[in-house]
Amino acid sequence: MAVWEFIRFLLITTLSYSSAFQSCDILTFLRHVSLDGLIFNVTFITEHSVTDKATCLSMCFHELQCNMALYNPTSQRCRLYYVPEISGGNEETGWQYYAVACTEFRVLNAVSMLVRNQSHVDVTCPSGFSYLPTTSDTCFHDNVPVNVGRCMQTLWVDQVRVFSTPLPAPLSSSTEIAVEAAADGVEIRNWVKLTAHDDSTLVMAFFVRWDTLDIAYNTRTSGAWSTELNQSPVPFTPNVISNLSIKVTDTQFLISLDDNSLFAAPIRIPSNEAVVLLVDFSLIKRVQIKYP
């Protein structure tokens, strides 16, 4: 059961939990007696020796990812966690459970977060990260849902020759993939690919082929290639950094280089099935995914 469900249930009916509000700076911690005496199989951040509960909760406040603290007054230990959901739980006597109130929970990787008017979330993400709302991480405040979302990395700079990253969120219309890179003209192929869960399926593949001096777009389903689009000559100049853009529409990938159109390529496999982005160029200065 997700942490959000514990807190939602607490807000709807307080009779099922013996809970008390514990405040620490600007965060509110909820004490759940029914979960005391358990150690959970969730994302552990760090453990400290402390003299009191207030110190433990203060440490959670100063850890950006922390949204759960376990305090053991007998052993004077403090364990901090980032909890996307509660799972498992092993018995260990003495631990007291404190969770950050849902309306004050700071998203993973966020610099700051403010919930306003119960339905609006104002999040400041660090440089290179974007705030991406989700449908799964919904909190409840006075029975009104608040979408928490995540600060996810969407910009990578100065990468190695073959760059790979899971997509931080599904692609949708108006998303753009921007690649600032250079090819040396010596390697036979350079590319940008989007793979699905099945690695043999390519939602999109853009190739620079120095052996045949052309560029191409294609898709692949379960290992079988579809009809290729290609053109020549190669528009890249060896060892010169260019800006490649791949914009997603409802029906096409609009592929351009330095603002010059290359392909209006048909989407044959739904773009939201893509899960991994792969980039192979001799020099990769920037890879960025711009979500709408």
Side-chain angles (χ1 to χ4, degrees), residues 165-167 171 193-205 220-223 269-278:
T165 182
L167 293 177
L171 299 179
K193 300 177 183 177
L194 291 168
T195 68
H197 285 289
D198 175 9
D199 289 341
S200 64
T201 296
L202 289 177
V203 176
M204 192 272 322
R220 189 176 66 196
T221 304
S222 299
I269 304 167
S271 60
N272 60 9
E273 292 188 16
V275 296
V276 174
L277 171 64
L278 298 163

Side-chain angles (χ1 to χ4, degrees), residues 62-126:
H62 291 292
E63 286 281 353
L64 185 61
Q65 298 179 358
C66 182
N67 66 342
M68 184 179 93
L70 294 184
Y71 171 64
N72 192 318
T74 303
S75 61
Q76 294 188 324
R77 293 156 62 197
C78 174
R79 294 176 64 90
L80 306 181
Y81 294 88
Y82 160 66
V83 187
E85 63 179 19
I86 289 292
S87 61
N90 300 316
E91 292 187 5
E92 187 172 324
T93 303
W95 290 103
Q96 298 175 355
Y97 173 101
Y98 298 91
V100 174
C102 187
T103 52
E104 299 175 2
F105 175 61
R106 299 161 300 176
V107 292
L108 183 65
N109 297 319
V111 174
S112 66
M113 173 178 169
L114 177 67
V115 179
R116 298 185 299 182
N117 300 327
Q118 301 179 3
S119 60
H120 176 73
V121 181
D122 184 11
V123 176
T124 301
C125 298

